[in-house]
Amino acid sequence: MAAAHLTAEQLSGEQIDHRFKGLPMDAEGLTVGELAAQRRDLFTGGFTTPVLALSAEALEHNLALLETYAERHGLAFAPHGKTSMAPQLFDRQVEYGAWGITAAVPHQARVYRTFGIRRIFLANELVDAAALRWVAAELDRDPDFRFICYVDSVRGVELMDQALAGRGRPVDVVVELGAGDGARTGARTEADCAAVADAVAATDTLRLVGVAGYEGEVPDATPESVRAWLNRLTAIAVAFDKTGRFADDLDEIVVSAGGSAWFDTVAEVFAGLPPLSRPVLKLLRSGAYVSHDDGQYRNLTPFNRVPEEGALRPAFRLWAQVVSRPTPEQAFVNAGKRDAAYDLHLPEAQVVRSARDGSVRPADGITVTRLSDQHAWLETAAGSGLEVGDWVGMGLSHPCTSFDKWQLIPLVEEDGTVVDFIRTFF
């Protein structure tokens, strides 16, 4: 019997308190839903800096664009949930056509199940016995639950088999092809992949349903090297099918790849996959698209190569306040490493909101040069006009390390109206 699940709507009953930074102090004791219903202004409604805002319009645009892209290219879509760890966004992604949600570790899968996600693709080999027992229990409890994870070693198969012995329906697995020497996980050669597949076939606890990998780990990636690796992946699927390595009772064969930098090449190669003995679920797993960014993925997005297919919009803006202006060339705002992603690029100063009259202007001549724990260091050119008290809106790089610093993120319309709050579970 399926267990009861929480719903994203139930999050609206959570009480506003000290746990959630940036929210209005006079909202203490209100529920999230009550505060959202007030439709306060981000700048005049009592929000304190620093505060991270998620654009409602950009979010909607990005969700719709990836749905359209996947449909156009005959792809199923399981966006990586580690990007946001936000059940409300998972629900929106499923509403916009997602087959399921991808996870990396057991904790993430547990959050997904708590909020009723019916299909989970875990893009890692899972050898933790306690986690495997939990997966088996979930599969037994809910006949509609679909779970798939990587296997990339004979030893991993052995450990999984030991943990799952005597339990219910088998766990579906895909053999992971590594992206090359010096890359991350995955079986390195076709022979290694075949050995892992044969080890799975020798168990009663696992069911081989496909092949997968992550092209983002191809060393010194170019379109040509990524395409060559993807061709290896699809060739393994063809070979496994011809040699009868996939489970006999499958309705479909899974072939999966696709981060946020090369999904155009994934779509191209997957389109050339020849017919197999059963239908193929061509599963894309890009996750960063949901918020996009103003750095890493702005530069890497495949839409730069195929602009006719559309363009993602950066949805994050971190607002901080100028708290010190010690020299004409220097200023400090009250957001730092605790608030902003900084693992790939520093934040980008984009706009300034005047503390005098509320007017907004481009942040010309203002550059973030360094982050401390609670401050961003700004270099200011002559004529920047920056004053103590002004709010500086900054774009961020790398969605995954932006979401994880905030438990409750205002969803803000273009005019500054806060219409909802996105809860994260890292």
Side-chain angles (χ1 to χ4, degrees):
M1 180 177 179
H5 296 293
L6 294 177
T7 64
E9 288 75 17
Q10 287 174 283
L11 294 173
S12 66
E14 191 164 13
Q15 192 172 77
I16 300 293
D17 58 25
H18 62 278
R19 292 171 295 164
F20 307 120
K21 60 185 180 180
L23 301 192
M25 293 182 182
D26 64 355
E28 181 90 14
L30 295 178
T31 66
V32 171
E34 289 168 343
L35 180 57
Q38 292 181 0
R39 296 178 63 86
R40 296 195 188 192
D41 186 273
L42 183 71
F43 307 105
T44 62
F47 291 85
T48 63
T49 55
V51 61
L52 181 66
L54 185 65
S55 164
E57 292 86 358
L59 173 66
E60 199 76 14
H61 169 84
N62 294 344
L63 289 167
L65 180 60
L66 257 290
E67 178 186 36
T68 301
Y69 183 89
E71 288 178 348
R72 183 184 301 128
H73 292 280
L75 300 169
F77 192 34
H80 213 316
K82 72 176 175 64
T83 298
S84 72
M85 288 306 295
Q88 292 149 287
L89 298 186
F90 301 160
D91 282 356
R92 299 303 311 283
Q93 289 169 312
V94 171
E95 288 170 11
Y96 275 88
W99 171 91
I101 305 293
T102 295
V105 293
H107 160 72
Q108 294 166 1
R110 185 179 178 191
V111 172
Y112 301 177
R113 285 300 290 162
T114 297
F115 287 90
I117 297 300
R118 294 180 53 238
R119 297 185 182 127
I120 296 173
F121 186 102
L122 196 146
N124 242 330
E125 186 167 68
L126 182 58
V127 294
D128 182 306
L132 285 163
R133 290 193 294 269
W134 173 81
V135 168
E138 286 294 298
L139 290 168
D140 287 347
R141 189 162 34 238
D142 184 355
D144 294 325
F145 176 41
R146 180 88 190 272
F147 178 87
I148 302 171
C149 72
Y150 282 176
V151 286
D152 78 349
S153 65
V154 172
R155 174 59 175 160
V157 171
E158 179 185 344
L159 290 169
M160 296 180 77
D161 186 44
Q162 290 173 0
L164 294 167
R167 298 184 181 271
R169 56 182 168 125
V171 170
D172 287 348
V173 296
V174 289
V175 172
E176 182 195 6
L177 172 66
D181 291 338
R184 208 159 58 189
T185 58
R188 289 297 192 255
T189 69
E190 281 73 2
D192 291 338
C193 289
V196 175
D198 292 343
V200 170
T203 75
D204 295 322
T205 57
L206 304 175
R207 185 175 74 149
L208 185 63
V209 301
V211 298
Y214 175 47
E215 76 292 336
E217 277 289 305
V218 171
D220 302 317
T222 64
E224 293 74 25
S225 63
V226 169
R227 189 177 297 109
W229 179 83
L230 287 163
N231 282 326
R232 286 180 62 201
L233 182 70
T234 54
I236 290 171
V238 171
F240 279 10
D241 191 42
K242 285 182 177 177
T243 54
R245 284 190 164 96
F246 294 125
D248 293 335
D249 59 346
L250 289 189
D251 295 326
E252 61 187 6
I253 294 168
V254 178
V255 181
S256 180
S260 296
W262 295 102
F263 55 72
D264 58 331
T265 311
V266 173
E268 173 195 330
V269 174
F270 280 13
L273 186 68
L276 301 184
S277 62
R278 280 149 286 188
V280 178
L281 181 73
K282 301 173 183 177
L283 194 61
L284 187 69
R285 306 193 308 271
S286 314
Y289 83 97
V290 70
S291 67
H292 198 45
D293 73 0
D294 281 296
Q296 179 80 351
Y297 290 106
R298 177 179 62 191
N299 297 327
L300 294 181
T301 176
F303 288 118
N304 292 339
R305 295 186 291 271
V306 286
E308 68 278 6
E309 300 242 32
L312 294 167
R313 297 178 186 171
F316 274 138
R317 181 163 281 169
L318 177 64
W319 288 96
Q321 197 166 23
V322 179
V323 294
S324 182
R325 192 79 162 91
T327 74
E329 297 80 27
Q330 194 174 39
F332 292 86
V333 293
N334 62 345
K337 293 179 180 178
R338 308 293 185 183
D339 315 296
Y342 60 93
D343 58 320
L344 295 176
H345 301 97
L346 289 171
E348 176 184 89
Q350 295 178 329
V351 295
V352 175
R353 187 178 191 277
S354 171
R356 293 184 181 273
D357 60 14
S359 61
V360 178
R361 65 182 188 275
D364 294 336
I366 301 171
T367 305
V368 180
T369 60
R370 177 180 166 190
L371 294 182
S372 301
D373 277 359
Q374 305 291 177
H375 293 93
W377 299 53
L378 305 185
E379 183 180 285
T380 55
S384 65
L386 196 63
E387 294 186 292
V388 170
D390 289 348
W391 285 36
V392 178
M394 296 176 284
L396 301 177
S397 179
H398 199 184
C400 299
T401 51
S402 298
F403 276 106
D404 71 358
K405 293 171 177 59
W406 297 83
Q407 293 186 69
L408 204 58
I409 303 171
L411 185 66
V412 185
E413 293 183 338
E414 191 171 1
D415 65 0
T417 303
V418 177
V419 294
D420 204 353
F421 296 87
I422 304 301
R423 183 73 157 93
T424 66
F425 292 86
F426 284 93

